[in-house]
Amino acid sequence: MLTASIRHIFNYASFGSRNFHLSVVLPAEPLKKKKRVDPQVELERIRKKTRRIEKEIKRLEQRGRYLKPLDEIEGERHFIKTLDSRERKLPAPSQTEVEQRALLMKEWTRFKWRQLDTECQLLANQRRELYRAMQHLRMLDPSLFELASQPDESLLGLSLSGPLYTLPQSADVFDAVDGDYRDVTPTYRYTFEVDKKMTFGKKK
Amino acid sequence: VAALWRSGSAATPGLTRSGRLLSVGLLIQRKAVLTPDLTELETRASDLFTRLDFERSRLSDFELRDRAESEAAKRSLSAAAEGKVQVARDGAVITAKDLMQRWAAEQQAVTLASREAADPSLKRPAVLLSTDADLCLPCCPVVDGDASLRAACDRLLELMGLTASCRLLGNAPVGLHTYKYKKSPVSLFLHRAIFTGADWRSAEASGSWKWVDADSLPGRVPDRRLLKKLRLLAAEF
């Protein structure tokens, strides 16, 4: 019996014969057995996911676009990649030019410091004058002083423009076009459309 | 306003406190209409900063395009000089140089108004003063009907007819000037106002007021103490 079985094995286990061969290497494991999924459960899962996404979109739209912190801004990649090709090849300034620039910067610094000093002094004097006027008013009439101490809320909407480089042209030279200004800036709004089957709603 | 001040026998007597007559004065300022001329140092510094900005900057997309087109043109010229066959490009291509020439032509067509022809006083801030030799600042006494100093200032602006074109800055007075009028001590509280009207000449239309810049103040303000205060308060930054 045993001899017969060994003979049987040796009949079939002859190496190099047609019965033994190497198959292709399989990198992946065999597929798992497919689980049966309840379609209602699957639908509910998809509905929950879309509901979550819609909620997030609504929240983002209400709050507005968050601006990136300045520290995290890396700049446009297009410009960073082409930075080397964008260098200006200008001749280096001569020694005389460098010295003249340094002297001018020194003179300019001194001038601005003097200007700052004058302005600070002016501000301090004006503040002192204001204080003196208010003290005098308080001495004369405390009720008027209280009213004068109140903040002026009408200053919030104050806006001033100018000065200009030249005066406006007369109508003979330049006639400004009449009419209202129409803002034609294009705006784009992304609408998230979800299949109605997936939305959370009253089921029939 | 002048009649109220001069006669002393006004229809509504002014408010007095501790024997002093209270009054308000308006320092109506007009900002410089034109930019002042740069000094020699400022011009040199401006040119230097412009030059430094240019040296430290990188080429823009337009300049890159111009450089590429110039090199292509040089290559095609050298190839034509060597007798090599050139492939003609289809269509008329607008080069960066063409665009620059177009912009320069458009700029030439724009003519600005002359700065030299404009009144030099427009390059400096000014204060509205009376044309009357004896008076200078617009002022009036505070009366019983005035709830506050600010209300008195508003009433004064209405008397002058400048309510629409002037804006009072703050409720508090910015300065104080004390003097004697007909042996009565007067406390004049100065308030700052700014002229916001479209045409600064409209304030001079009545003939009673005139815009005076800082250099002309000594000739218009006889009181030296008041002149010192006006110079301080009307100074521009």
mmCIF file with all atom_site columns, all heavy atoms in Angstrom, chain A residues 20-38:
data_model
loop_
_atom_site.group_PDB
_atom_site.id
_atom_site.type_symbol
_atom_site.label_atom_id
_atom_site.label_alt_id
_atom_site.label_comp_id
_atom_site.label_asym_id
_atom_site.label_entity_id
_atom_site.label_seq_id
_atom_site.pdbx_PDB_ins_code
_atom_site.Cartn_x
_atom_site.Cartn_y
_atom_site.Cartn_z
_atom_site.occupancy
_atom_site.B_iso_or_equiv
_atom_site.pdbx_formal_charge
_atom_site.auth_seq_id
_atom_site.auth_comp_id
_atom_site.auth_asym_id
_atom_site.auth_atom_id
_atom_site.pdbx_PDB_model_num
ATOM 1   N N   . PHE A 1 20 ? 5.541   19.596 -13.416 1.00 0.00 ? 20 PHE A N   1
ATOM 2   C CA  . PHE A 1 20 ? 5.957   20.633 -12.485 1.00 0.00 ? 20 PHE A CA  1
ATOM 3   C C   . PHE A 1 20 ? 6.374   21.882 -13.250 1.00 0.00 ? 20 PHE A C   1
ATOM 4   O O   . PHE A 1 20 ? 7.121   21.795 -14.218 1.00 0.00 ? 20 PHE A O   1
ATOM 5   C CB  . PHE A 1 20 ? 7.135   20.141 -11.632 1.00 0.00 ? 20 PHE A CB  1
ATOM 6   C CG  . PHE A 1 20 ? 6.666   19.450 -10.403 1.00 0.00 ? 20 PHE A CG  1
ATOM 7   C CD1 . PHE A 1 20 ? 6.447   18.076 -10.407 1.00 0.00 ? 20 PHE A CD1 1
ATOM 8   C CD2 . PHE A 1 20 ? 6.433   20.171 -9.249  1.00 0.00 ? 20 PHE A CD2 1
ATOM 9   C CE1 . PHE A 1 20 ? 6.010   17.444 -9.261  1.00 0.00 ? 20 PHE A CE1 1
ATOM 10  C CE2 . PHE A 1 20 ? 5.977   19.524 -8.115  1.00 0.00 ? 20 PHE A CE2 1
ATOM 11  C CZ  . PHE A 1 20 ? 5.778   18.147 -8.115  1.00 0.00 ? 20 PHE A CZ  1
ATOM 12  N N   . HIS A 1 21 ? 5.895   22.947 -12.850 1.00 0.00 ? 21 HIS A N   1
ATOM 13  C CA  . HIS A 1 21 ? 6.274   24.211 -13.491 1.00 0.00 ? 21 HIS A CA  1
ATOM 14  C C   . HIS A 1 21 ? 6.155   25.335 -12.464 1.00 0.00 ? 21 HIS A C   1
ATOM 15  O O   . HIS A 1 21 ? 5.532   25.163 -11.425 1.00 0.00 ? 21 HIS A O   1
ATOM 16  C CB  . HIS A 1 21 ? 5.390   24.506 -14.707 1.00 0.00 ? 21 HIS A CB  1
ATOM 17  C CG  . HIS A 1 21 ? 3.940   24.612 -14.351 1.00 0.00 ? 21 HIS A CG  1
ATOM 18  N ND1 . HIS A 1 21 ? 3.134   23.483 -14.257 1.00 0.00 ? 21 HIS A ND1 1
ATOM 19  C CD2 . HIS A 1 21 ? 3.166   25.663 -14.031 1.00 0.00 ? 21 HIS A CD2 1
ATOM 20  C CE1 . HIS A 1 21 ? 1.917   23.869 -13.910 1.00 0.00 ? 21 HIS A CE1 1
ATOM 21  N NE2 . HIS A 1 21 ? 1.907   25.206 -13.766 1.00 0.00 ? 21 HIS A NE2 1
ATOM 22  N N   . LEU A 1 22 ? 6.771   26.459 -12.832 1.00 0.00 ? 22 LEU A N   1
ATOM 23  C CA  . LEU A 1 22 ? 6.707   27.644 -11.947 1.00 0.00 ? 22 LEU A CA  1
ATOM 24  C C   . LEU A 1 22 ? 5.679   28.627 -12.517 1.00 0.00 ? 22 LEU A C   1
ATOM 25  O O   . LEU A 1 22 ? 5.708   28.953 -13.708 1.00 0.00 ? 22 LEU A O   1
ATOM 26  C CB  . LEU A 1 22 ? 8.064   28.344 -11.878 1.00 0.00 ? 22 LEU A CB  1
ATOM 27  C CG  . LEU A 1 22 ? 9.150   27.586 -11.127 1.00 0.00 ? 22 LEU A CG  1
ATOM 28  C CD1 . LEU A 1 22 ? 10.489  28.274 -11.324 1.00 0.00 ? 22 LEU A CD1 1
ATOM 29  C CD2 . LEU A 1 22 ? 8.815   27.507 -9.654  1.00 0.00 ? 22 LEU A CD2 1
ATOM 30  N N   . SER A 1 23 ? 4.811   28.997 -11.682 1.00 0.00 ? 23 SER A N   1
ATOM 31  C CA  . SER A 1 23 ? 3.810   29.969 -12.159 1.00 0.00 ? 23 SER A CA  1
ATOM 32  C C   . SER A 1 23 ? 4.368   31.397 -12.036 1.00 0.00 ? 23 SER A C   1
ATOM 33  O O   . SER A 1 23 ? 5.445   31.613 -11.483 1.00 0.00 ? 23 SER A O   1
ATOM 34  C CB  . SER A 1 23 ? 2.534   29.826 -11.334 1.00 0.00 ? 23 SER A CB  1
ATOM 35  O OG  . SER A 1 23 ? 2.792   30.196 -10.010 1.00 0.00 ? 23 SER A OG  1
ATOM 36  N N   . VAL A 1 24 ? 3.632   32.362 -12.542 1.00 0.00 ? 24 VAL A N   1
ATOM 37  C CA  . VAL A 1 24 ? 4.019   33.784 -12.452 1.00 0.00 ? 24 VAL A CA  1
ATOM 38  C C   . VAL A 1 24 ? 3.975   34.238 -10.990 1.00 0.00 ? 24 VAL A C   1
ATOM 39  O O   . VAL A 1 24 ? 3.113   33.774 -10.229 1.00 0.00 ? 24 VAL A O   1
ATOM 40  C CB  . VAL A 1 24 ? 3.029   34.653 -13.277 1.00 0.00 ? 24 VAL A CB  1
ATOM 41  C CG1 . VAL A 1 24 ? 3.339   36.123 -13.149 1.00 0.00 ? 24 VAL A CG1 1
ATOM 42  C CG2 . VAL A 1 24 ? 3.064   34.207 -14.745 1.00 0.00 ? 24 VAL A CG2 1
ATOM 43  N N   . VAL A 1 25 ? 4.896   35.103 -10.602 1.00 0.00 ? 25 VAL A N   1
ATOM 44  C CA  . VAL A 1 25 ? 4.936   35.601 -9.214  1.00 0.00 ? 25 VAL A CA  1
ATOM 45  C C   . VAL A 1 25 ? 3.717   36.485 -8.957  1.00 0.00 ? 25 VAL A C   1
ATOM 46  O O   . VAL A 1 25 ? 3.390   37.379 -9.754  1.00 0.00 ? 25 VAL A O   1
ATOM 47  C CB  . VAL A 1 25 ? 6.222   36.424 -8.989  1.00 0.00 ? 25 VAL A CB  1
ATOM 48  C CG1 . VAL A 1 25 ? 6.205   37.060 -7.596  1.00 0.00 ? 25 VAL A CG1 1
ATOM 49  C CG2 . VAL A 1 25 ? 7.431   35.519 -9.158  1.00 0.00 ? 25 VAL A CG2 1
ATOM 50  N N   . LEU A 1 26 ? 3.027   36.211 -7.875  1.00 0.00 ? 26 LEU A N   1
ATOM 51  C CA  . LEU A 1 26 ? 1.823   36.991 -7.555  1.00 0.00 ? 26 LEU A CA  1
ATOM 52  C C   . LEU A 1 26 ? 2.166   37.994 -6.452  1.00 0.00 ? 26 LEU A C   1
ATOM 53  O O   . LEU A 1 26 ? 2.336   37.624 -5.301  1.00 0.00 ? 26 LEU A O   1
ATOM 54  C CB  . LEU A 1 26 ? 0.714   36.067 -7.066  1.00 0.00 ? 26 LEU A CB  1
ATOM 55  C CG  . LEU A 1 26 ? 0.248   35.015 -8.080  1.00 0.00 ? 26 LEU A CG  1
ATOM 56  C CD1 . LEU A 1 26 ? -0.676  34.014 -7.421  1.00 0.00 ? 26 LEU A CD1 1
ATOM 57  C CD2 . LEU A 1 26 ? -0.454  35.683 -9.259  1.00 0.00 ? 26 LEU A CD2 1
ATOM 58  N N   . PRO A 1 27 ? 2.293   39.334 -6.761  1.00 0.00 ? 27 PRO A N   1
ATOM 59  C CA  . PRO A 1 27 ? 2.636   40.321 -5.722  1.00 0.00 ? 27 PRO A CA  1
ATOM 60  C C   . PRO A 1 27 ? 1.496   40.573 -4.744  1.00 0.00 ? 27 PRO A C   1
ATOM 61  O O   . PRO A 1 27 ? 1.697   40.999 -3.634  1.00 0.00 ? 27 PRO A O   1
ATOM 62  C CB  . PRO A 1 27 ? 2.960   41.582 -6.501  1.00 0.00 ? 27 PRO A CB  1
ATOM 63  C CG  . PRO A 1 27 ? 2.386   41.394 -7.846  1.00 0.00 ? 27 PRO A CG  1
ATOM 64  C CD  . PRO A 1 27 ? 2.114   39.945 -8.065  1.00 0.00 ? 27 PRO A CD  1
ATOM 65  N N   . ALA A 1 28 ? 0.267   40.359 -5.190  1.00 0.00 ? 28 ALA A N   1
ATOM 66  C CA  . ALA A 1 28 ? -0.847  40.658 -4.300  1.00 0.00 ? 28 ALA A CA  1
ATOM 67  C C   . ALA A 1 28 ? -1.428  39.379 -3.751  1.00 0.00 ? 28 ALA A C   1
ATOM 68  O O   . ALA A 1 28 ? -1.299  38.315 -4.338  1.00 0.00 ? 28 ALA A O   1
ATOM 69  C CB  . ALA A 1 28 ? -1.913  41.426 -5.066  1.00 0.00 ? 28 ALA A CB  1
ATOM 70  N N   . GLU A 1 29 ? -2.104  39.562 -2.669  1.00 0.00 ? 29 GLU A N   1
ATOM 71  C CA  . GLU A 1 29 ? -2.732  38.380 -2.081  1.00 0.00 ? 29 GLU A CA  1
ATOM 72  C C   . GLU A 1 29 ? -4.042  38.116 -2.813  1.00 0.00 ? 29 GLU A C   1
ATOM 73  O O   . GLU A 1 29 ? -4.615  39.024 -3.417  1.00 0.00 ? 29 GLU A O   1
ATOM 74  C CB  . GLU A 1 29 ? -2.953  38.600 -0.590  1.00 0.00 ? 29 GLU A CB  1
ATOM 75  C CG  . GLU A 1 29 ? -3.912  39.751 -0.297  1.00 0.00 ? 29 GLU A CG  1
ATOM 76  C CD  . GLU A 1 29 ? -4.192  39.884 1.188   1.00 0.00 ? 29 GLU A CD  1
ATOM 77  O OE1 . GLU A 1 29 ? -3.349  39.450 2.001   1.00 0.00 ? 29 GLU A OE1 1
ATOM 78  O OE2 . GLU A 1 29 ? -5.247  40.415 1.514   1.00 0.00 ? 29 GLU A OE2 1
ATOM 79  N N   . PRO A 1 30 ? -4.520  36.946 -2.715  1.00 0.00 ? 30 PRO A N   1
ATOM 80  C CA  . PRO A 1 30 ? -5.786  36.662 -3.386  1.00 0.00 ? 30 PRO A CA  1
ATOM 81  C C   . PRO A 1 30 ? -6.890  37.521 -2.810  1.00 0.00 ? 30 PRO A C   1
ATOM 82  O O   . PRO A 1 30 ? -6.848  37.936 -1.646  1.00 0.00 ? 30 PRO A O   1
ATOM 83  C CB  . PRO A 1 30 ? -6.043  35.184 -3.085  1.00 0.00 ? 30 PRO A CB  1
ATOM 84  C CG  . PRO A 1 30 ? -4.732  34.652 -2.672  1.00 0.00 ? 30 PRO A CG  1
ATOM 85  C CD  . PRO A 1 30 ? -3.949  35.768 -2.095  1.00 0.00 ? 30 PRO A CD  1
ATOM 86  N N   . LEU A 1 31 ? -7.885  37.841 -3.605  1.00 0.00 ? 31 LEU A N   1
ATOM 87  C CA  . LEU A 1 31 ? -8.963  38.718 -3.180  1.00 0.00 ? 31 LEU A CA  1
ATOM 88  C C   . LEU A 1 31 ? -9.733  38.093 -2.036  1.00 0.00 ? 31 LEU A C   1
ATOM 89  O O   . LEU A 1 31 ? -9.926  36.867 -1.985  1.00 0.00 ? 31 LEU A O   1
ATOM 90  C CB  . LEU A 1 31 ? -9.917  38.982 -4.343  1.00 0.00 ? 31 LEU A CB  1
ATOM 91  C CG  . LEU A 1 31 ? -9.339  39.784 -5.503  1.00 0.00 ? 31 LEU A CG  1
ATOM 92  C CD1 . LEU A 1 31 ? -10.281 39.806 -6.674  1.00 0.00 ? 31 LEU A CD1 1
ATOM 93  C CD2 . LEU A 1 31 ? -8.990  41.193 -5.060  1.00 0.00 ? 31 LEU A CD2 1
ATOM 94  N N   . LYS A 1 32 ? -10.187 39.040 -1.169  1.00 0.00 ? 32 LYS A N   1
ATOM 95  C CA  . LYS A 1 32 ? -10.968 38.549 -0.028  1.00 0.00 ? 32 LYS A CA  1
ATOM 96  C C   . LYS A 1 32 ? -12.362 38.222 -0.502  1.00 0.00 ? 32 LYS A C   1
ATOM 97  O O   . LYS A 1 32 ? -12.839 38.721 -1.522  1.00 0.00 ? 32 LYS A O   1
ATOM 98  C CB  . LYS A 1 32 ? -11.030 39.626 1.049   1.00 0.00 ? 32 LYS A CB  1
ATOM 99  C CG  . LYS A 1 32 ? -9.715  39.843 1.732   1.00 0.00 ? 32 LYS A CG  1
ATOM 100 C CD  . LYS A 1 32 ? -9.812  40.920 2.799   1.00 0.00 ? 32 LYS A CD  1
ATOM 101 C CE  . LYS A 1 32 ? -8.439  41.228 3.309   1.00 0.00 ? 32 LYS A CE  1
ATOM 102 N NZ  . LYS A 1 32 ? -8.400  42.445 4.084   1.00 0.00 ? 32 LYS A NZ  1
ATOM 103 N N   . LYS A 1 33 ? -12.982 37.492 0.294   1.00 0.00 ? 33 LYS A N   1
ATOM 104 C CA  . LYS A 1 33 ? -14.335 37.089 -0.051  1.00 0.00 ? 33 LYS A CA  1
ATOM 105 C C   . LYS A 1 33 ? -15.222 38.320 0.002   1.00 0.00 ? 33 LYS A C   1
ATOM 106 O O   . LYS A 1 33 ? -15.165 39.101 0.943   1.00 0.00 ? 33 LYS A O   1
ATOM 107 C CB  . LYS A 1 33 ? -14.800 36.046 0.952   1.00 0.00 ? 33 LYS A CB  1
ATOM 108 C CG  . LYS A 1 33 ? -16.100 35.385 0.561   1.00 0.00 ? 33 LYS A CG  1
ATOM 109 C CD  . LYS A 1 33 ? -16.513 34.388 1.617   1.00 0.00 ? 33 LYS A CD  1
ATOM 110 C CE  . LYS A 1 33 ? -17.895 33.873 1.334   1.00 0.00 ? 33 LYS A CE  1
ATOM 111 N NZ  . LYS A 1 33 ? -18.355 32.958 2.343   1.00 0.00 ? 33 LYS A NZ  1
ATOM 112 N N   . LYS A 1 34 ? -15.999 38.527 -1.010  1.00 0.00 ? 34 LYS A N   1
ATOM 113 C CA  . LYS A 1 34 ? -16.850 39.724 -1.091  1.00 0.00 ? 34 LYS A CA  1
ATOM 114 C C   . LYS A 1 34 ? -17.928 39.616 -0.038  1.00 0.00 ? 34 LYS A C   1
ATOM 115 O O   . LYS A 1 34 ? -18.679 38.637 0.030   1.00 0.00 ? 34 LYS A O   1
ATOM 116 C CB  . LYS A 1 34 ? -17.464 39.788 -2.490  1.00 0.00 ? 34 LYS A CB  1
ATOM 117 C CG  . LYS A 1 34 ? -18.114 41.114 -2.777  1.00 0.00 ? 34 LYS A CG  1
ATOM 118 C CD  . LYS A 1 34 ? -18.614 41.163 -4.201  1.00 0.00 ? 34 LYS A CD  1
ATOM 119 C CE  . LYS A 1 34 ? -19.373 42.440 -4.417  1.00 0.00 ? 34 LYS A CE  1
ATOM 120 N NZ  . LYS A 1 34 ? -19.915 42.514 -5.777  1.00 0.00 ? 34 LYS A NZ  1
ATOM 121 N N   . LYS A 1 35 ? -18.006 40.727 0.742   1.00 0.00 ? 35 LYS A N   1
ATOM 122 C CA  . LYS A 1 35 ? -19.022 40.718 1.799   1.00 0.00 ? 35 LYS A CA  1
ATOM 123 C C   . LYS A 1 35 ? -20.316 41.251 1.208   1.00 0.00 ? 35 LYS A C   1
ATOM 124 O O   . LYS A 1 35 ? -20.343 42.165 0.412   1.00 0.00 ? 35 LYS A O   1
ATOM 125 C CB  . LYS A 1 35 ? -18.596 41.635 2.948   1.00 0.00 ? 35 LYS A CB  1
ATOM 126 C CG  . LYS A 1 35 ? -17.473 41.072 3.764   1.00 0.00 ? 35 LYS A CG  1
ATOM 127 C CD  . LYS A 1 35 ? -17.134 42.015 4.916   1.00 0.00 ? 35 LYS A CD  1
ATOM 128 C CE  . LYS A 1 35 ? -15.810 41.633 5.490   1.00 0.00 ? 35 LYS A CE  1
ATOM 129 N NZ  . LYS A 1 35 ? -15.297 42.636 6.415   1.00 0.00 ? 35 LYS A NZ  1
ATOM 130 N N   . ARG A 1 36 ? -21.333 40.775 1.669   1.00 0.00 ? 36 ARG A N   1
ATOM 131 C CA  . ARG A 1 36 ? -22.636 41.260 1.221   1.00 0.00 ? 36 ARG A CA  1
ATOM 132 C C   . ARG A 1 36 ? -22.963 42.542 1.949   1.00 0.00 ? 36 ARG A C   1
ATOM 133 O O   . ARG A 1 36 ? -22.941 42.578 3.164   1.00 0.00 ? 36 ARG A O   1
ATOM 134 C CB  . ARG A 1 36 ? -23.690 40.220 1.558   1.00 0.00 ? 36 ARG A CB  1
ATOM 135 C CG  . ARG A 1 36 ? -23.878 39.291 0.416   1.00 0.00 ? 36 ARG A CG  1
ATOM 136 C CD  . ARG A 1 36 ? -25.179 38.603 0.493   1.00 0.00 ? 36 ARG A CD  1
ATOM 137 N NE  . ARG A 1 36 ? -25.230 37.748 -0.671  1.00 0.00 ? 36 ARG A NE  1
ATOM 138 C CZ  . ARG A 1 36 ? -26.338 37.298 -1.238  1.00 0.00 ? 36 ARG A CZ  1
ATOM 139 N NH1 . ARG A 1 36 ? -27.472 37.610 -0.688  1.00 0.00 ? 36 ARG A NH1 1
ATOM 140 N NH2 . ARG A 1 36 ? -26.294 36.551 -2.285  1.00 0.00 ? 36 ARG A NH2 1
ATOM 141 N N   . VAL A 1 37 ? -23.244 43.602 1.180   1.00 0.00 ? 37 VAL A N   1
ATOM 142 C CA  . VAL A 1 37 ? -23.543 44.900 1.803   1.00 0.00 ? 37 VAL A CA  1
ATOM 143 C C   . VAL A 1 37 ? -24.999 45.221 1.573   1.00 0.00 ? 37 VAL A C   1
ATOM 144 O O   . VAL A 1 37 ? -25.506 45.124 0.449   1.00 0.00 ? 37 VAL A O   1
ATOM 145 C CB  . VAL A 1 37 ? -22.656 46.006 1.179   1.00 0.00 ? 37 VAL A CB  1
ATOM 146 C CG1 . VAL A 1 37 ? -23.019 47.356 1.763   1.00 0.00 ? 37 VAL A CG1 1
ATOM 147 C CG2 . VAL A 1 37 ? -21.200 45.714 1.410   1.00 0.00 ? 37 VAL A CG2 1
ATOM 148 N N   . ASP A 1 38 ? -25.571 45.646 2.640   1.00 0.00 ? 38 ASP A N   1
ATOM 149 C CA  . ASP A 1 38 ? -26.974 46.031 2.545   1.00 0.00 ? 38 ASP A CA  1
ATOM 150 C C   . ASP A 1 38 ? -27.041 47.357 1.771   1.00 0.00 ? 38 ASP A C   1
ATOM 151 O O   . ASP A 1 38 ? -26.426 48.341 2.165   1.00 0.00 ? 38 ASP A O   1
ATOM 152 C CB  . ASP A 1 38 ? -27.519 46.193 3.975   1.00 0.00 ? 38 ASP A CB  1
ATOM 153 C CG  . ASP A 1 38 ? -29.016 46.431 3.962   1.00 0.00 ? 38 ASP A CG  1
ATOM 154 O OD1 . ASP A 1 38 ? -29.645 46.251 2.895   1.00 0.00 ? 38 ASP A OD1 1
ATOM 155 O OD2 . ASP A 1 38 ? -29.546 46.790 5.024   1.00 0.00 ? 38 ASP A OD2 1
#
